[in-house]
Structure formats: C-alpha cells, structure tokens
Amino acid sequence: MIGCDCEVCTSPDKKDKRLRSSIMVESAKTRLVVDTGPDFRYQMLREKIKHLDAIIFTHPHKDHLAGLDDVRAFNFLMRKPMEVYADSLTGEALRRDFYYAFTDTKYPGTPEINMNTITMEPFVVGDIPITPILVWHLKMPVLSFRFGKFTYITDANRIEDSEKEKIKGSDTIVLNALRKKKHIAHFNLEEAIVLAQELKIPTAYLTHISHQLGRHEEVEKELPDGIHLSYDGLKLSFERY
Ligand SMILES: [Zn+2]
Ligand SMILES: [Zn+2]
C-alpha cells in the first residue's frame, strides 16, 4: 500500500510483496492470463513471458483491467491481435477504458485486440476447456473460472448454491480472502475458509490479500490443513479434465 509503514508493507519476506491478483494458466500448447491489472507488465517481465494466447477477464474493476495496454508487446512478438475473452459488462468497460484500441482508424502501436464474448456456457481457449462460474462482488456479477480440477475465484463475497455445484469436485481452488475484518464486497479470511471447507475442496489457496491480513508466515501458521495463503510466483499443477 502506497505510504504504509505496517509490518506487511515493510516486511523483508518476498511472500509479503503482493502485486495485483492475476493468474497464468498453461497447457503444453496454450497459455492464457486471467485479468491484466496494473502490474501485468511487470508480471510478464518477471516470468519472462514471450508468448501469450489469450486474456480472460473476471470483472471490470480497474485493478483487474488497467494493464491491458501492454498487450502491445505480445502483438509485436506474435504478429497478431490478442484474443480477449470477457462478458458483456466487462467488454463494455474495456471498450470505454481502451477506446483507442477499438476505433476504426488506429495509429501504429495501438493495442490490437480481438474481443470474444463470454456467456455462462463453457468455452475452449486453444486446448484448455473453461467453465465460467458466476459469483457476486457485492452487487456486481464476477466470473470465476474452472479449468479441469482447478477453480479460480477472485473478488467474490457470495456464491449462489447452483454455482457452488460447478466448483465441487475441484482438487484445488484459489479463492479471495481480503483480510480478517469483514468486508462489504470480498470474503474475509473466515468466510473463505468456511467456503473451502463447505465445498470440500482438498486444497485451497487464498488470494487478493490486502496488507490488513497480516504477514504471510504468521497467517499461514493459523490456517487449517489444506488451506494456504498464495503468494506472487506460486506455481500449481492440476488435471485438465
Ligand atoms: Zn500496510
Ligand atoms: Zn473488484
């Protein structure tokens, strides 16, 4: 947090250096990113990514969209537009926030984007099958995604029972937990733990963690078996089907 001297913000532990939430999902053939927050460029540099097939969006908040302009590097490297997947609400925000990428007459170097609209139907990117799951971020609908035995949920504070059914059977879930204190639009730590246990997912990693949650090392010790804090750079493997 800018200007903060708390124990997390001043911690020397790398696991306490939290950039904006995003994941990369890859198979042998396909690589995609879920959300391009303001840290997208740095995250791509850090992981030395030279090839990216698609970007999938969860919801239109700026901390999940703002980095999209930097797809220009991939347009240049791969000599084609970036395939972007978003629901209509997020698509509208992208067209507004990055209006210059959607005009008929473009100057050279403008991001090149090919928009694909996500409905609630399963879809496939390259060879990666994806099931969208609707969750609620206070009053905003947000998309979560299930990739085989792995489910990624960010920016949620409520999930309807019918959508919970789509998550069940996952081996691993990544779930947002902002802090210990209750929050109006995000699960807090306790709510995230209760949900992971209710869904009987063997392994859960918490994400979208604010500095108010506390230091990684200390919080990790308090968590029940099978539940962990995620951290920047964490890598997980899962079955695709
Ligand atoms: Zn802080
Ligand atoms: Zn949000």
Side-chain angles (χ1 to χ4, degrees):
M1 181 64 73
I2 292 175
C4 184
D5 298 320
C6 80
E7 58 164 9
V8 173
C9 291
T10 56
S11 165
D13 184 351
K14 270 190 186 168
K15 291 180 178 171
D16 287 322
K17 305 293 177 205
R18 298 167 184 150
L19 300 181
R20 260 57 69 93
S21 302
S22 171
I23 56 166
M24 174 175 283
V25 177
E26 60 185 355
S27 66
K29 285 189 190 147
T30 308
R31 180 185 281 147
L32 60 89
V33 157
V34 179
D35 290 336
T36 56
D39 301 315
F40 172 68
R41 177 174 179 270
Y42 174 69
Q43 288 161 331
M44 295 301 99
L45 287 168
R46 185 191 67 202
E47 300 300 323
K48 300 185 172 61
I49 303 304
K50 291 186 174 149
H51 172 115
L52 183 62
D53 297 297
I55 294 166
I56 299 177
F57 285 104
T58 59
H59 71 299
H61 280 160
K62 206 69 166 182
D63 57 333
H64 294 257
L65 306 187
L68 183 64
D69 187 78
D70 284 305
V71 296
R72 291 183 303 129
F74 293 111
N75 295 152
F76 179 75
L77 286 166
M78 298 174 65
R79 298 174 198 282
K80 59 177 187 152
M82 180 58 68
E83 296 297 327
V84 169
Y85 293 78
D87 65 9
S88 51
L89 184 73
T90 305
E92 226 174 86
L94 292 172
R95 287 187 172 86
R96 192 172 57 238
D97 291 6
F98 300 95
Y99 64 92
Y100 52 90
F102 294 95
T103 51
D104 290 337
T105 45
K106 288 189 206 140
Y107 58 88
T110 303
E112 287 175 55
I113 289 163
N114 185 35
M115 286 294 291
N116 301 271
T117 303
I118 305 177
T119 63
M120 291 314 294
E121 293 302 314
F123 61 104
V124 178
V125 173
D127 64 344
I128 303 180
I130 304 166
T131 303
I133 298 159
L134 180 76
V135 301
W136 290 96
H137 191 25
L138 189 58
K139 287 178 182 159
M140 175 180 277
V142 172
L143 293 179
S144 295
F145 299 106
R146 178 163 174 172
F147 307 88
K149 296 281 191 183
F150 172 76
T151 300
Y152 179 68
I153 300 174
T154 188
D155 291 61
N157 74 319
R158 186 167 68 81
I159 306 178
E160 286 167 17
D161 288 343
S162 55
E163 297 301 289
K164 284 181 183 171
E165 291 304 316
K166 299 182 188 171
I167 305 166
K168 287 179 184 168
S170 301
D171 285 340
T172 307
I173 190 173
V174 170
L175 183 59
N176 63 299
L178 193 74
R179 61 186 188 192
K180 289 182 180 169
K181 226 175 98 192
K182 195 144 174 68
H183 186 273
I184 189 171
H186 284 268
F187 290 127
N188 67 6
L189 182 62
E190 194 189 330
E191 291 164 334
I193 292 170
V194 166
L195 180 63
Q197 291 175 337
E198 179 199 333
L199 296 173
K200 299 189 168 57
I201 314 290
T203 311
Y205 284 89
L206 305 177
T207 191
H208 211 303
I209 300 166
S210 102
H211 63 152
Q212 295 167 334
L213 186 64
R215 289 195 49 185
H216 180 95
E217 206 185 348
E218 280 149 33
V219 179
E220 185 69 27
K221 281 187 236 160
E222 303 166 8
L223 298 175
D225 282 353
I227 299 184
H228 305 278
L229 294 190
S230 57
Y231 52 88
D232 290 41
L234 170 67
K235 290 183 174 67
L236 303 168
S237 343
F238 57 90
E239 297 292 322
R240 204 177 337 160
Y241 299 105

